[in-house]
Amino acid sequence: MSQVENVVGDRVLIAVQAVNISRLSTHPVPTVPGTLIVVAGAGPKDSNGAGKSSFIASITALLGDEQWRFASGAKAVSELLFNAELASGAGGRQWASADHGYIVGVFGPATAGEVPEKAAAENEEQAAHLEGGELDGAITVWLRVNQEAPHLEIRWAEGVHLASAASEAERVARADALWTALPRSAGRRDVVARDLTKVLYGDRVRCVSFLSTSVRSKVATNLLSQPLNEISPERVFEAIAALTGLDAELEQEREARRDEHAKRVRAAQAGERLAEFETESGALLTTFDRRDQARVRLADALRCWRGRQARRLSDAADRDEALAAELERHQASAASAGEAIAMVKAEIATLKDDTLDRQVGEARKELATLQARAAKLDADRAVAENSADELRGQIPSLEDRRRFADGRDVPAAERELTAARFRLNEALKALGVADREVASAQAALDDAEGGPAAAQLNALTSAGVAATGLLDALDVAEQARDLVEVDALRGWPHEHAVIVDAAELDAAAVALAALPGSVLVSAAGVSVVGAFGGTATGREARIKAAEQRLNRAKDAQEDAAQAVGDAEEQVAEAGRRLDGAQAGVRLADLERRLAERRARLTELTGALTELTPKVAEAERQAGALDFRARTRDMESERLEGRRARHEADRDQARGQEARVGQERAALRLEELAREWGGTIDGAREWLRALPEEERPRTAEEWWRAAERLFDQAQRDTFPGEDDEVPEELAYLLAERAGRTAREQATFAAVCGSLASYLRGQEEYEKHQRRQIETQVVTRQRDLAAAERGAEEAAQLTSVHRAALSAAIKARLGRVAEEFEKLDTSYGGYGATLEFPVPPAPADPEQRWQWRVTPKWRRGEGQGFVPYNRRANTALMDEKAVKLVCAAAIASSGGGNLCLVLDELGRNLGKEHRREAVALFRRIGETYGITVIGALQDDMEPYAVDACGQYIKLRRSSDAMPYNEPPVIIGHDEHAERVRALAAFVDRRPSS
C-alpha cells in the first residue's frame, strides 16, 4: 500500500507525554501554541537534574528536528531513554534501565473548535479500547524509542490517546498496551525514523532548536549562549543553517563532492590498475621468457653433467693403472723389513738374564729398610726435644702464680672462697632492701607534695572506695565567678576534703585512719577523720616526715653499697689464693714429666749413632749394582731401537699397501662406469669427440659449469624468495644445500624434477599469454569509462553547487529580510546580513564553510555597522534574539513552527533579561511561532512575567529516579479545547 504523507497537517502540538524518557514523569503536559513556553526545574539542589534538557529534546524529536539525523536512523534519540545509573546514586541496584520508551504528542487544530455534546458518551465507549477519545480534529502521534534498531517507530490515531492511570508504573504498563492496540502506520510494518518528517509533516520544517551537549553529541552554535560579538562569522552561519535547514543541503553538496572525488579516485584507480596490470603482466611475461631460457640452460647443465661423468671415469682409469704399479713396490719393501727384524730379535734374547735384576732389587730393599729406621729415630728425637722445650717454658709462669697461695693448699683456699661468696650474697640482699626503702620513701614524698587531697585519694583507691576531691567537683558558674572568693576555698578543710558515697562512709574512714585531719563529704554530712595532734598533721609536716624517711633510707643504701664492695674484694682475693694453690700442684707434675723426656732423648741419640755406618754401607752396594744394570739396559735399548726402525719400515710399507688399495677402491670404477652408462673406452672416445676448447676441462670444471647452469635455470624458474616451489623439488633443494658431495649426488634427481616442473608449466604459460592480451584490452576500456564518469560527476557537482549557492543566498536573503522587519518593528533602525559566496573546499570531507556577518544601523539614516564592533550589552542581546527569530521565521515556510532553546537567556544581562524574553513572546505570537525555552534558576523571575505558559519539572531528592508531577500554568484562548484536553488527561482507566 502507498505510504501517507503530512498526517499532522496544519495541527499544532497541544500536549506531550513522556514514558521511560530520562527521569521525566509520565504525567501528560499540555502546551499552549503560538506563544513563549518556559520550562523551569527544581532539582535536589537547584534547577539542575530536573530533566529540562531531556524534556525539550523529546519535543524536538517528536516535531522532526533534522539535527537528530532521521535519515541515518536517529540513534541519538535512544540516549534519551531512562538510565538507572544516571537517574540516582543507587539506581544501578534499585532500578532497571529502560530498553524502550514513548514520546506521545497530541496535535489539535490551530483555530477554535467546539466539543460536541455527544463526545462524552463516545469517549466512554472508546476508552475501554484505546484509552482515548474525541477532540475536534485532534490526532495523537506515538514515537516508540528503542535501545536497539530500529531506534524509532511511529504510530498515530485520530483523537486523544494518552496513557492514564493512578501511578507511574501503571501508566508505563498502559502505554505498552496502547501501543499494541494502535494500528500499524505502514500496513504490516511501522514507519521508522527515515520517513518521520515526510509522513508526519510532509517534509515541512516544524521545529528548529538549540540543544545542549547533555542530550545530543553534535550541537549547533547557540547564538544566545554567549555574547553575539564573540561568535565568529563561520559559527553564525552554522547557527542559521541549523535553524533554516541548510545543514541537509550543505551535506548534500558535500556528498556530491564526495561522489565526484570517489569517481575521480575510481578513474585514477582504474589507471593505476591498468598500469599495475601491465607491470604485473609484463613481469609475468618476463617470467615466462625466463622459464623458456631456463629450459635451454637446464639442457646445457645436463650436458655438462654428462661431461663430468665421462671425465671422472677416464681420470679414474688412468689413476688406477698408476696405483697398481705403486702397490708392487710397497709389497717388496715390507718383505725386506721383516727379515731384518728377525735378526735383531735373536741378539736381544741373549741379553735377557734376570740374575742381576734380583741382586739390584735385594740391595735396594735393604737400603730402604735401614733408611726408614734412621728417619724414625731422628723424628722421635725431634719430638722429644720439642716436648721438653714446651715443658720448660711453662715453669716460670707456674712459679709466679704459686706465690699467691701464701702457703695454703687447695682445700683450704676453696673453703675461704666459699665463705667470701656467702658474705657477698648477704651484702647484696641488704642493698636490695635499702633500694626498695629509698623508692618507697621517694613515692611517699611525691604523694605528700602531689596535691591537697592526693594522699587521701590514693588511700581510698587502694581500699576500693570511689571518691573525688571536693575542689575538683566544684564548678563555679560564669556569672558567679566574681562573687566567689577563690582564696577562701584554699587550705583546710577544703583542700583535704573528698566526696564519697554515703554507703561507703565507714569504709572510707577506716582507709583514712592513718591520715588524721582528712575530711569526708557525703549525703549523710561532713566528718573529720582523727584529730589534730599538732602541726605535724598538716601538709608541711607530712612532707618533712617523708623527707626524713627518705634521708635515712639513702644513708642505709650507701652503707649497704659499701658492704657489697668490701665483700667483692674479699671474693677476688680468695680466688687468687685458690689459683696459686692449683698452680703449685701443676708445677710438681710438670717437673716429673720433664725428667722423663730427658731420659728418652738420651736413649734415641745413642741408637741413631749406632745405625749411621750401616746405612752408608748399604748405599755403596746398591750403587754398584745399579751401574751394572744401567750398562746392560743401554745395550738392550740400542737393539730395541734398531728393531723399532725395521718394524716402522715394515709398517709403513704395509700402510702404503693399504692406502693404495683404499685409493683404488675409492676410485669406484664400476660405479663410475654405471653412472656413465658405458665402458671406459666409450668415455674416452666421447671426450675425444668434444670441441678443442672443451677437451682440457677437468671433472670439477664440468661440475662448476653444470652447477652454474642449473642455478641460472632455477633462478629463471623461481626468481622470488616467496615463489611457491613444488614439494618434491623443494625437498631435493633442501637436502642438497650446504654440502658439495650431497649436491653432486642429488644433481641428476633435482634436474629431473625441475625439468618435469617446466614441462608441466609450458602449456599453462601459453594460455596465460593469451589471457594477458585479453585483460589489457578490457582494462583499457574500463579506464575510459571511469574517466568519462569522473568528468560527468564534476559537471553535476558544479551544477549542484551553483544551485545550492543560489538556494543558500535566497535563504539567507530571506533571513536578512525577516531580520530587517523584526528590527524595524521592535525598536531598531534596520538590520541586514552580509554573506559573500566562499570558494568550494578542495577536500571532499571538508564542509563548505560560509561566513555570515550580521549588521545593523545604530541611528536613523546611518550606515550598517558589523556586529563585532563594540556595543552595549542590551543591544547585542536584542539583536541576537531578533536574529534567531528571523531565522526561525524564514525556515517555517508559512507553517506552524516550534523554536526550542536550551539555556534560554543564559548570556543575557540581568537588566535586559525581562525585555529579551518578552520579545520572544511578542514575536512568537505575532508570527505564530511556539517558542519553548529551558532556563536556569536566575532566569526564572524574569521569564515568569513574560511567558505565555510556565512549566516547572520537579525532583526533590537524588534518591528518586523519576520526577514528581510537573507544575503547569498557562493561558490558551481556546478554553473549550483546554477543558476537553483536561478531561482526557485526568481520565482513569476503567477497571
Side-chain angles (χ1 to χ4, degrees), residues 801-874:
R801 188 178 299 114
L804 176 59
S805 178
I808 292 176
K809 290 191 291 184
R811 190 73 57 86
L812 294 178
R814 186 177 176 189
V815 174
E817 293 175 3
E818 297 295 338
F819 192 22
E820 169 76 12
K821 292 178 183 178
L822 288 176
D823 190 61
T824 54
S825 299
Y826 295 97
Y829 300 100
T832 186
L833 300 177
E834 183 179 276
F835 43 89
V837 179
D843 186 358
E845 295 298 327
Q846 184 178 354
R847 185 183 177 89
W848 194 11
Q849 190 64 60
W850 286 61
R851 295 168 55 90
V852 173
T853 305
K855 293 182 177 181
W856 51 77
R857 294 185 177 93
R858 295 188 177 182
E860 192 68 43
Q862 295 182 3
F864 289 104
V865 178
Y867 76 106
N868 47 17
R869 298 285 177 84
R870 294 185 60 184
N872 63 74
T873 306

Side-chain angles (χ1 to χ4, degrees), residues 778-818:
T778 302
R779 291 175 185 272
Q780 289 174 345
R781 186 169 56 251
D782 293 343
L783 174 60
E787 290 176 344
R788 287 194 303 273
E791 293 298 327
E792 293 173 358
Q795 295 175 1
L796 289 176
T797 301
S798 177
V799 172
H800 186 276
R801 188 178 299 114
L804 176 59
S805 178
I808 292 176
K809 290 191 291 184
R811 190 73 57 86
L812 294 178
R814 186 177 176 189
V815 174
E817 293 175 3
E818 297 295 338

Side-chain angles (χ1 to χ4, degrees), residues 525-817:
V526 179
S527 61
V528 179
V529 179
F532 289 103
T535 59
T537 61
R539 179 173 181 273
E540 293 78 3
R542 288 197 303 273
I543 294 174
K544 184 176 181 180
E547 289 176 346
Q548 292 175 354
R549 178 185 173 190
L550 178 60
N551 293 332
R552 289 193 299 272
K554 289 183 177 180
D555 293 341
Q557 184 184 36
E558 291 177 358
D559 295 341
Q562 181 63 37
V564 170
D566 295 342
E568 289 176 345
E569 290 181 358
Q570 293 174 5
V571 170
E573 179 65 24
R576 287 193 295 272
R577 289 171 181 171
L578 177 59
D579 184 65
Q582 292 174 345
V585 175
R586 291 184 60 191
L587 182 61
D589 180 67
L590 185 64
E591 290 174 348
R592 178 185 57 77
R593 291 167 56 195
L594 181 59
E596 292 176 356
R597 296 294 187 278
R598 288 172 178 170
R600 176 60 177 166
L601 184 60
T602 301
E603 179 184 352
L604 291 173
T605 302
L608 186 61
T609 302
E610 182 182 354
L611 186 60
T612 301
K614 297 180 181 179
V615 173
E617 179 61 22
E619 288 178 349
R620 186 188 64 79
Q621 292 180 0
L625 292 174
D626 281 339
F627 178 75
R628 290 174 59 191
R630 285 196 299 273
T631 301
R632 184 203 62 184
D633 292 339
M634 289 174 62
E635 181 64 19
S636 297
E637 289 177 0
R638 185 180 65 81
L639 294 175
E640 288 291 343
R642 185 189 302 173
R643 185 184 69 173
R645 288 194 296 273
H646 291 311
E647 288 179 348
D649 292 341
R650 184 191 62 185
D651 293 340
Q652 182 179 4
R654 291 178 178 176
Q656 292 295 332
E657 288 183 41
R659 180 186 61 79
V660 172
Q662 291 174 357
E663 287 187 11
R664 295 186 69 186
L667 292 175
R668 301 180 294 113
L669 285 175
E670 295 181 358
E671 183 177 347
L672 293 176
R674 286 195 302 271
E675 292 177 359
W676 162 251
T679 63
I680 296 174
D681 294 336
R684 290 171 174 169
E685 185 64 29
W686 188 88
L687 291 173
R688 284 193 295 269
L690 291 174
E692 189 67 27
E693 65 274 9
E694 292 182 350
R695 290 179 190 173
R697 286 186 182 179
T698 64
E700 183 64 23
E701 291 173 343
W702 282 109
W703 160 247
R704 286 196 298 270
E707 181 69 7
R708 184 176 61 256
L709 290 169
F710 174 76
D711 289 341
Q712 292 175 352
Q714 179 187 349
R715 286 193 299 270
D716 290 341
T717 306
F718 307 106
E721 294 182 358
D722 299 332
D723 291 343
E724 185 177 355
V725 181
E727 183 177 355
E728 178 185 1
L729 181 58
Y731 173 77
L732 292 173
L733 292 173
E735 281 293 313
R736 68 195 304 267
R739 294 178 298 172
T740 304
R742 185 62 184 168
E743 291 175 352
Q744 294 173 353
T746 59
F747 186 81
V750 75
C751 287
S753 178
L754 181 59
S756 176
Y757 174 77
L758 290 173
R759 285 193 299 273
Q761 293 292 318
E762 190 171 4
E763 187 64 29
Y764 165 76
E765 292 170 4
K766 293 179 181 178
H767 175 71
Q768 283 293 98
R769 288 179 186 274
R770 292 191 296 270
Q771 289 292 103
I772 289 171
E773 294 173 358
T774 303
Q775 284 289 325
V776 169
V777 174
T778 302
R779 291 175 185 272
Q780 289 174 345
R781 186 169 56 251
D782 293 343
L783 174 60
E787 290 176 344
R788 287 194 303 273
E791 293 298 327
E792 293 173 358
Q795 295 175 1
L796 289 176
T797 301
S798 177
V799 172
H800 186 276
R801 188 178 299 114
L804 176 59
S805 178
I808 292 176
K809 290 191 291 184
R811 190 73 57 86
L812 294 178
R814 186 177 176 189
V815 174
E817 293 175 3

Side-chain angles (χ1 to χ4, degrees), residues 48 455 512 573 946:
N48 293 318
L512 299 178
E573 179 65 24

